[in-house]
Amino acid sequence: MAVSYFSTKDLVSGGIFVVAGAYFALEALTYEVGTAFRMGPGFMPLFLGAVLTGLGIVVAAGGWKKPDTDERFTPSWRGIGLIIGVVMFFGATIRGLGFVPVVFVSSFAAALSSRLNSPLFAVLLAITLTVMCTLIFVIGLGMSVPWFGPWLGM
Amino acid sequence: MNKNTVTLAASMLAAGLAFSGTVLAQDYPTKPITVVVPFSAGGPTDTVARLIAEVMSQDLGQQVVVQNVGGAGGTLGAGQVATAQADGYTLLLHHIGMSTAPTLYRSLPYDPTVDFAPIGLITSVPMTLVAKKDFEPTTLAELMDYIKANGENVTYAHAGIGSASQLCGMLLMDALDTQMTTVPYQGAGPAMTDIIGGQIDMICDQSTNTTSQIQAGEVKAYAVTTAARLGNLPDLPTTAEGGLDLQIGVWHGLYAPAGTDAAIITKLEAALQKALTDETVISRFAELGTVPVTAAEATPAALTELLTSQIALWKGVIEAAGVYAD
Amino acid sequence: MDMIASLSLGFSVALDPMNILYCFIGVLLGTLVGVLPGIGPTATIAMLLPITFSLSPAGALIMLAGIYYGAQYGGSTTAILINLPGESSSAVTAIDGYEMAKKGRAGPALATAALGSFFAGTVGTLLLAFFAPPLARAALNFGAPEYFALIVLGLLMSIALAHGSILKALGMIVLGLLLGMVGQDIYTGQPRFTMGVRELYSGLNFVSVAVGVFGVAEILRNLENEKGRDVMVKAVKNLWLTKDDFKRIIAPVLRGTALGSVLGILPGGGHILASFASYSAEKRLSKHPEEFGHGAIEGVAGPESANNAAAQTSFIPLMTLGIPAHPVMALMVGAFILQGITPGPNVINDQPALFWGIIASMWIGNVMLVLLNLPLIGLWVKLLSIPYRALFPAIVLFACIGCYSINQNIYDVYAIAFFGVLGYVLMRFGCEPAPLLLGFVLGPLLEEHLRRAMIISRGDATVFITRPISATLLGLAVLAVVIAVLPSIRRKRKEVFVEDD
């Protein structure tokens, strides 16, 4: 496989830079670039996007003939899925469900993203965190968020 | 103290159980009221809101909490209130920007005249024309001549798209029929810094931000944009005295979402009118260089009328200037 | 009024029992909110403004100021213990502080932060007391071209933030600069890279980005290889600094304090650069630059001192001219006004008791902070004995709640998820998060000042080299690049010669 001649590290990070740089530069083309006197909103992002794309290519090319040496990339898909899911869930429901249910469900799911945690432990942890967070943020700091939200019909 | 604790406990219980379903208007308010300020904390509008909220809490017997929802020139917070439950527990305190947003933002997700139930006007903060210390003109007449003669070589600072200082600048250029080089800043603080430091020529900003600098001689002042002179700057002429056709005040209004029960609006209107006669409010407003409006203006009718006429006025000015925020 | 009389007036106000109490409440609250990620001093001061209505002006302002510099202390605690920086300054502390914690040296790291901060806070307060008006005047010489040059210098110096590939560090800086441009363009109002989401008009939230690329990314990495063991088992060696540690931190603390004091005075964003600049300087000057990024104590001592010195001196433009240097100072302006005092050049003469009282209270507050924080180190370190599997769900929750509470903006929460994944992937493929954050905070400033300088000079780019301060700063920037590149060129030459043989 040709890829084995490459450092995956350099190839992937370079690739991310190229993609991000290209996105910003292309999107910036739709904004006004302006003049030296009055630079438009597109000027800086276009310039920096091009620089980032260039850097990405150089980084990726730098990985040529430098095969990976260190350990392989073994992400915990369960961890990523649950943690990211928890954060998205929190954002999507905090206004509708209210503080207490959202914090309880979130901490329960977050705890389960580690294989070391049993469901029972997750429940206990969720209860503890819910009480703690409500005390600190809602009662202590007076955060303006309902305990139970309008979706619960109360 | 004891009574407070009981009320606090009761309100927490109320919030906790959230039995908001159908609260009768005569019981209103039974839980804390949130006043959304669509700008960050610490600014002039936020200060006005906090002063009013504090006094209204005492009258309504419930906490009136100020919540800052800044962003997108005030349209984010306003949009949030437009879609909030019309139960009287979420209100909006907004300034002149309420009337400019429909023109500045061509894709505004709400309509200020339809989606809100106005409660009343609060105050109208005067603006002042000031310049860096060593700026050549010394009187308003000289300033007008200087701007006309130098046009784009004059640099005019403003606090960002949709800010009061930008609006005043549009009016000034309109009145003098000339163009200056406008330089936007991120808020009034940085703009003022560059005026004091002499990096930029001039600005027209709310007296809240300029009075202490004028009194200390850090900036040169030319005129105030209201019909009458200011109490704490008695030597500063008005624009009309100097023959400049420019009048602007940064007016602030209180709104509820459209569809709010009329009885609730009446209750809030009364609380607002009472707050505007409070001594602390009057004295703090005086230090901001402004006065509360009269009880006749702190009404839904007066605010509706002003809002409608201002929307029409700014539509003309902004479209003529060709400045948009999206 | 001479200085002794002024200071004794100040201390008579600050030592009033009620004011001591408010000062203590302030620094205590500040420490606590600093420790909680997300809820920073801005949110706390905004929430507490109503309470300060009923206090005397001096009491209210002493308490609010205490929250601000107390939060600077507390912020480093979370950065060191769980890699969750709540502000740009503590992002730098997290680099080496967290590495020290991983090696069981959380105690010395926290002690270094506390001691460095105390020293820097004291010096900053003295500067404020003795030289505030002239310093504020001097800072006014900084216009758009000078700030642009300063930021360019900062960016080029900061390549030192990375301990791996320089190219990747550059890439992360530029990516950060671009991310900083998301939101409404302040010059035209044009929304950029917002994908039509109005909530993004005011840009991405710094705390979301920082919490994502540092905290969440680290959690995702730790979840990788769970083989029945817990990730962060730490044999805590000692709580206090060794003699050798003391020797190593003296010079960084002094340099950090000097650097931070100077940068903090500049109202146009100087304080942001303080800790980054100090870190770069320490790495350059160190005899063991390879230790940086792997738990070098200098990497905690320098930036922490710089940060606190800047926090203290950023009061100078506010107290003497009434100009707020950053959002927290803008809130302080609001607090002054609510108390019926309009901050401005006249406060020092019209309200001497208030002016000097606040300054004196800052020093007292710093003493309280060190007395409060040193005993707390033991407690904080104990926190690390909580098993990681119970700790990380709490970190995730705190991050979400904290970010949401800042603006009640749910997109701030979604941003944590996005940057968590991005940070994790980039970290896994050899890119470090600190340069990205630096780019992110400096990006908007860089663009703002460049464009403003060009407008004011009417499109004449020579303004950057005809103004002496800006020319000097740009000259230093060029020098920084040359110094950074020279050794590698020399090395390359040698390699070429070797191959030729």
Side-chain angles (χ1 to χ4, degrees), chain B residues 101-114:
Chain B
T103 320
L104 278 175
Y105 290 83
R106 286 161 292 192
S107 60
L108 201 64
Y110 61 89
D111 183 342
T113 55
V114 174

Side-chain angles (χ1 to χ4, degrees), chain B residues 42-238:
Chain B
T45 310
D46 179 62
T47 311
V48 167
R50 286 179 194 276
L51 285 169
I52 292 293
E54 180 69 13
V55 184
M56 281 178 75
S57 308
Q58 294 159 15
D59 190 43
L60 292 168
Q62 281 289 347
Q63 275 288 315
V64 179
V65 188
V66 172
Q67 189 188 335
N68 303 91
V69 184
T75 60
L76 213 58
Q80 201 165 306
V81 176
T83 54
Q85 269 187 311
D87 54 6
Y89 292 102
T90 311
L91 309 177
L92 173 72
L93 194 149
H94 203 333
H95 68 20
I96 190 166
M98 190 77 168
S99 66
T100 55
T103 320
L104 278 175
Y105 290 83
R106 286 161 292 192
S107 60
L108 201 64
Y110 61 89
D111 183 342
T113 55
V114 174
D115 294 326
F116 295 94
I119 297 167
L121 266 169
I122 298 166
T123 179
S124 180
V125 182
M127 301 192 74
T128 48
L129 277 168
V130 299
K132 60 182 182 184
K133 258 181 297 190
D134 53 358
F135 201 43
E136 212 173 283
T138 48
T139 64
L140 180 59
E142 283 177 38
L143 178 73
M144 286 157 64
D145 291 339
Y146 185 89
I147 296 175
K148 278 185 201 156
N150 291 284
E152 294 204 326
N153 286 322
V154 180
T155 46
Y156 177 92
H158 70 73
I161 301 290
S163 65
S165 44
Q166 188 198 23
L167 301 174
C168 184
M170 285 184 198
L171 288 180
L172 180 63
M173 289 187 275
D174 204 38
L176 298 177
D177 196 24
T178 181
Q179 284 296 313
M180 295 183 275
T181 298
T182 53
V183 186
Y185 283 80
Q186 288 256 61
M192 211 54 204
T193 310
D194 269 10
I195 298 274
I196 299 171
Q199 308 284 347
I200 193 158
D201 295 335
M202 61 171 299
I203 190 171
C204 167
D205 201 11
Q206 304 183 48
S207 56
T208 329
N209 301 326
T210 56
T211 305
S212 67
Q213 307 295 349
I214 296 172
Q215 285 166 340
E218 291 291 336
V219 297
K220 215 178 239 185
Y222 297 97
V224 56
T225 63
T226 41
R229 293 193 179 202
L230 298 181
N232 48 5
L233 294 170
D235 299 331
L236 194 62
T238 65

Side-chain angles (χ1 to χ4, degrees), chain A residues 108 112 117-125:
Chain A
F108 176 73
L112 283 185
N117 287 337
S118 66
L120 178 67
F121 181 82
V123 170
L124 291 176
L125 189 69

Side-chain angles (χ1 to χ4, degrees), chain B residues 262-304:
Chain B
I264 292 179
I265 299 283
T266 312
K267 223 168 211 179
L268 287 167
E269 183 193 347
L272 174 65
Q273 287 170 352
K274 203 165 167 203
L276 292 179
T277 56
D278 180 87
E279 286 200 2
T280 326
V281 169
I282 294 173
S283 75
R284 291 289 191 274
F285 272 24
E287 277 145 19
L288 296 177
T290 186
V291 282
V293 299
T294 60
E297 290 172 291
T299 58
L303 181 55
T304 311

Side-chain angles (χ1 to χ4, degrees), chain C residues 44-313:
Chain C
T44 314
I45 293 179
M47 283 191 277
L48 287 180
L49 271 183
I51 300 175
T52 62
F53 260 116
S54 46
L55 310 183
S56 70
L61 293 163
I62 283 172
M63 183 168 110
L64 295 175
I67 294 176
Y68 173 58
Y69 52 79
Q72 307 291 324
Y73 267 69
S76 51
T77 308
T78 336
I80 290 171
L81 292 177
I82 52 177
N83 202 24
L84 214 53
E87 283 200 74
S88 49
S89 49
S90 35
V92 181
T93 312
I95 305 174
D96 276 281
Y98 183 62
E99 287 300 320
M100 284 181 74
K102 268 190 183 165
K103 291 182 176 158
R105 301 212 337 122
L110 290 169
T112 304
L115 292 176
S117 298
F118 173 67
F119 178 78
T122 306
V123 173
T125 309
L126 285 175
L127 282 177
L128 183 51
F130 287 93
F131 305 111
L135 285 175
R137 289 279 152 215
L140 286 176
N141 288 323
F142 265 64
E146 284 77 19
Y147 280 112
F148 174 74
L150 181 69
I151 293 161
V152 169
L153 174 64
L155 284 173
L156 291 174
M157 293 269 294
S158 68
I159 299 169
L161 284 173
H163 44 272
S165 149
I166 288 186
L167 274 179
K168 282 183 187 166
L170 267 176
M172 291 297 268
I173 291 179
V174 178
L175 182 59
L177 289 170
L178 283 164
L179 289 168
M181 275 161 209
V182 172
Q184 227 174 353
D185 173 31
I186 64 158
Y187 286 83
T188 60
Q190 163 94 48
R192 297 185 292 182
F193 316 109
T194 55
M195 291 169 274
V197 178
R198 290 190 87 75
E199 279 81 356
L200 286 179
Y201 274 28
S202 37
L204 295 162
N205 186 342
F206 173 82
V207 180
S208 304
V209 180
V211 157
V213 296
F214 272 92
V216 175
E218 173 75 17
I219 291 174
L220 294 181
R221 184 162 77 170
N222 285 333
L223 287 175
E224 261 177 30
N225 297 311
E226 293 181 312
K227 295 194 185 93
R229 67 184 170 86
D230 224 352
V231 211
M232 288 223 291
V233 192
K234 288 178 185 111
V236 176
K237 284 179 203 145
N238 48 355
L239 291 179
W240 193 240
L241 298 162
T242 63
K243 232 185 195 163
D244 182 46
D245 287 336
F246 267 115
K247 261 193 218 145
R248 288 176 62 175
I249 68 167
I250 290 175
V253 166
L254 291 174
R255 284 191 290 260
T257 303
L259 207 52
S261 302
V262 173
L263 288 169
I265 300 163
L266 301 172
H271 70 285
I272 296 179
L273 276 169
S275 47
F276 287 103
S278 163
Y279 189 90
S280 309
E282 290 314 319
K283 192 171 172 186
R284 284 276 151 78
L285 292 168
S286 168
K287 288 191 192 96
H288 310 284
E290 71 282 354
E291 282 181 23
F292 279 75
H294 300 286
I297 197 165
E298 294 90 342
V300 176
E304 273 301 309
S305 317
N307 170 39
N308 262 60
Q312 228 49 267
T313 56

